[in-house]
Amino acid sequence: MNRPQVVGQPTTSQHFKTGINQIADLLAPTLGPTGGHVASQRDSGMKVELLDDAATIVRRILSIGQPQDDIGAMVMRNLIWRVSQRAGDGGATAAVLAREFFNQGMKLVAAGVNSVRLERGVEQGIKIAIQALKDQAHSVHTEDELSAVAKTITKEGDLSLVLGEMSYLLGSDPRVIVEKYVAPYLEREYINGAHYKAKISSMYFYTDAQRKRAVITDLAVALVNERLERQEQVVPLLEGAIAQGKKGLLLIVKDVVNDALGLLVSNHQLDKEKKKLDILSVKLSEIGDEMRWGWMDLATLTGATILGPEYDRTGAQAVTSDLGEAQRAEYASEGIVLVAPRESRNAIQQEVANLRTLVEETPLDDEERPKYVKRLSTLTGGIGRLKIGASSKLHREMLYQHSQRAFNVLSAAQRGGIVPGGGAGLMYCVPALEAAVRANGASEEILMGIRLVSDVLSAPMRQIVKNAGIHEPAVIVDRVLTAGTPATYNALTGEVGNAFDLGVLDVVDVLATSLSTAASGAMMALSTDAIVYHKKPEQSLQP
């Protein structure tokens, strides 16, 4: 019978150390503006990938050869992936921090410090450091600041300028469609209004049949969540729009057929002298929760009452006050765009505030979050389209991934603020930790945990300086600390100066997530006393 192999201390820590250091050593060279790429080839039949995103790199690693090496590597794989999913970036920073936490903590434990009490001290230190980060945070006020944040991810000036502009104009939770082109290309487009996927009820409603487009302005809006078949179901809606003095009527319906559709089409096609209303009828293409939310949000946008058998009144029972209004409606490319009236602004802002709270409280990896963001972009009336291209498929994919990551990070920057970048923001948390040590009456081992956090915080800057080709990182770190906040080091120019003038910035939420996750993973590994190795462990594609 095959029995699992069990190992205890000090072998356990040695096994964790090997894997943790191997993954951190792999990712550390990608940190900072002068960081390089990692080449990955999953099998002989595939082209080599050039990767600089830590989360993508570790996801390519299912094993590094030996079970005793894999145990630490998989801890790193998991924590780096969690950082990416929660913050959008910061995986390489987390890897460098985790390596430092584990290696320094291992020395303390080997010297006789209790790992559990050390871990409690680290937890206290992390809370103090994160609060210090928040205290030094600057709100994002300019497009240039957002572009500088984007450049820490893309490392490309032109793309970063466009990303910063789009984030600035579209707000903290933008909905952006990224399109890839097969040649060098960079352009952006902004689409105003609330967007819903929909299908036009009849080709006769097109105002531009050649382009399959319909536009009406100054319109009443009817929301009818039922199948309209008879004329008497739509006559009250037509009369209500006329009573409101509107030029057009938009019907958003579950479906419209037979006599009801015939009446709408015949009224729409009357001569200009006889026609009282321009008419457009569409049915939403969404399903499930998105369909339900679509009806609710349309009611908020237009002020219309939802009609149907499940509501207070049906289409046949509609009264004039059931109709809402909109400034403009356009149907094209199987979608309807609505520009809401000014009168709906207060109701829209209240729902927007509720949705922003939901978005902020929902992790990036939660499957519900994209739905909230989509609703938010619909209600705020702004969608962006980013068009990027490159000559090679590899470069196109890299630009696409950079853009997606950047928008997540830029959203976090607008919500939580920014601090001096290049790792300087973390180092400026040290005085708060030193003050806590002096004022804390806890046991010495708890204080060692707080000091451990203080000692680790310079690791990202030291790695960035090393990646820039300087062999004495401590000299640069000392120069930055001597200059004081908001100074930092620009690895591209070799200059120490004001981080906001240099455009070297980090995002508070990303740093906080990287720091807390790195400490949690490293201390978990450090306090593990035994490892059980199975003969045939299961491999998982999920980190």
Side-chain angles (χ1 to χ4, degrees):
M1 179 178 178
N2 290 327
R3 293 186 178 182
Q5 179 188 2
V6 180
V7 297
Q9 291 289 12
T11 306
T12 298
S13 292
Q14 289 296 333
H15 286 190
F16 272 115
K17 181 179 180 180
T18 302
I20 287 172
N21 284 341
Q22 283 194 41
I23 296 297
D25 292 347
L26 173 70
L27 300 177
T30 69
L31 189 60
T34 59
H37 295 81
V38 172
S40 171
Q41 186 176 28
R42 282 180 279 180
D43 58 58
S44 58
M46 294 185 65
K47 293 182 179 179
V48 173
E49 295 179 293
L50 292 178
L51 307 171
D52 66 351
D53 171 32
T56 305
I57 294 167
V58 296
R59 195 171 186 183
R60 297 290 187 268
I61 300 171
L62 298 181
S63 172
I64 54 176
Q66 298 295 327
Q68 60 267 32
D69 298 337
D70 284 342
I71 189 70
M74 294 306 104
V75 167
M76 291 288 278
R77 183 174 185 251
N78 177 264
L79 75 86
I80 290 164
W81 183 255
R82 280 190 289 138
V83 167
S84 174
Q85 292 299 292
R86 292 173 182 175
D89 194 40
T93 300
V96 170
L97 288 168
R99 177 179 63 185
E100 200 74 7
F101 269 118
F102 186 83
N103 289 340
Q104 290 199 35
M106 189 175 171
K107 293 176 183 177
L108 292 173
V109 172
V113 177
N114 181 277
S115 62
V116 174
R117 284 193 285 272
L118 181 69
E119 184 175 3
R120 289 175 184 165
V122 168
E123 289 173 355
Q124 288 187 28
I126 293 297
K127 290 178 182 177
I128 295 166
I130 289 176
Q131 186 58 52
L133 273 175
K134 292 177 179 179
D135 290 343
Q136 61 177 299
H138 291 247
S139 298
V140 177
H141 296 296
T142 69
E143 186 180 313
D144 290 342
E145 289 172 337
L146 289 169
S147 296
V149 171
K151 195 171 182 179
T152 64
I153 298 169
T154 68
K155 302 175 186 176
E156 297 194 20
D158 291 343
L159 177 58
S160 298
L161 289 173
V162 171
L163 294 171
E165 175 196 295
M166 295 186 77
S167 179
Y168 182 74
L169 294 177
L170 293 174
S172 61
D173 294 290
R175 184 183 172 201
V176 180
I177 302 166
V178 183
E179 297 178 352
K180 291 182 277 189
Y181 286 72
V182 294
Y185 193 73
L186 178 60
E187 192 52 77
R188 69 284 202 193
E189 178 183 355
Y190 301 100
I191 311 166
N192 292 322
H195 294 244
Y196 291 93
K197 290 182 180 179
K199 291 185 178 180
I200 198 165
S201 300
S202 170
M203 59 178 288
Y204 295 109
F205 292 127
Y206 287 129
T207 55
D208 184 346
Q210 186 174 2
R211 296 171 61 189
K212 295 184 177 180
R213 179 171 174 264
V215 178
I216 55 175
T217 57
D218 186 22
L219 59 141
V221 179
L223 304 179
V224 191
N225 191 8
E226 67 174 311
R227 182 180 172 89
L228 302 178
E229 299 178 343
R230 305 181 308 279
Q231 291 188 3
E232 55 265 31
Q233 291 177 284
V234 297
V235 167
L237 306 176
L238 294 168
E239 292 175 343
I242 293 170
Q244 286 187 358
K246 297 298 183 181
K247 295 179 181 178
L249 171 63
L250 170 66
L251 294 98
I252 299 178
V253 299
K254 187 174 184 179
D255 201 3
V256 57
V257 294
N258 301 337
D259 292 346
L261 180 59
L263 179 62
L264 293 174
V265 170
S266 61
N267 274 269
H268 179 68
Q269 291 188 314
L270 288 172
D271 294 336
K272 286 187 178 180
E273 294 77 15
K274 298 179 181 179
K275 183 164 64 171
K276 295 183 178 180
L277 289 172
D278 291 317
I279 298 172
L280 173 60
S281 174
V282 301
K283 55 183 179 180
L284 296 181
S285 300
E286 309 289 2
I287 59 174
D289 284 343
E290 293 194 31
M291 172 71 83
R292 178 171 56 82
W293 288 333
W295 287 111
M296 293 167 54
D297 291 342
L298 281 165
T300 301
L301 285 164
T302 65
T305 301
I306 304 174
L307 303 169
E310 299 176 0
Y311 301 90
D312 292 340
R313 284 183 293 279
T314 64
Q317 300 165 330
V319 297
T320 300
S321 59
D322 289 331
L323 272 64
E325 59 180 319
Q327 296 181 45
R328 186 176 188 274
E330 177 178 348
Y331 177 86
S333 304
E334 296 195 346
I336 185 77
V337 181
L338 278 176
V339 178
R342 289 186 174 88
E343 291 77 6
S344 299
R345 186 168 297 171
N346 290 339
I348 292 171
Q349 291 305 316
Q350 180 59 51
E351 188 61 22
V352 164
N354 295 337
L355 281 170
R356 285 198 191 282
T357 301
L358 272 175
V359 170
E360 291 171 6
E361 293 175 351
T362 306
L364 287 174
D365 56 346
D366 192 303
E367 61 182 14
E368 295 297 311
R369 194 177 192 277
K371 299 176 184 178
Y372 299 147
V373 171
K374 183 178 178 181
R375 289 184 65 201
L376 188 58
S377 66
T378 297
L379 290 173
T380 52
I383 290 180
R385 182 177 284 120
L386 174 63
K387 303 174 182 180
I388 51 175
S391 300
S392 71
K393 182 178 179 180
L394 182 66
H395 193 194
R396 281 195 301 276
E397 188 60 30
M398 189 178 295
L399 291 175
Y400 178 82
Q401 296 296 337
H402 282 167
S403 301
Q404 297 284 19
R405 286 166 51 206
F407 280 121
N408 285 333
V409 172
L410 292 173
S411 293
Q414 293 201 52
R415 289 194 300 268
I418 52 179
V419 292
L426 289 172
M427 295 197 306
Y428 293 136
C429 298
V430 170
L433 291 161
E434 291 176 342
V437 170
R438 291 193 296 269
N440 202 319
S443 69
E444 182 59 28
E445 289 171 316
I446 297 288
L447 297 180
M448 283 183 177
I450 299 175
R451 291 193 194 100
L452 175 57
V453 176
S454 177
D455 293 341
V456 162
L457 293 180
S458 64
M461 175 170 279
R462 285 188 276 111
Q463 185 64 54
I464 289 171
V465 173
K466 183 178 178 182
N467 290 347
I470 295 177
H471 300 297
E472 296 295 337
V475 175
I476 299 298
V477 169
D478 185 63
R479 285 178 58 193
V480 171
L481 289 174
T482 300
T485 184
T488 192
Y489 173 71
N490 186 339
L492 293 174
T493 63
E495 179 183 0
V496 172
N498 186 305
F500 295 92
D501 294 337
L502 296 175
V504 182
L505 306 171
D506 277 334
V507 178
V508 170
D509 288 355
V510 175
L511 288 179
T513 302
S514 299
L515 180 61
S516 61
T517 308
S520 174
M523 300 313 295
M524 182 276 293
L526 199 64
S527 60
T528 299
D529 288 326
I531 303 172
V532 180
Y533 290 110
H534 294 270
K535 289 287 185 181
K536 294 182 179 180
E538 292 184 11
Q539 288 186 339
S540 173
L541 295 176
Q542 296 299 320

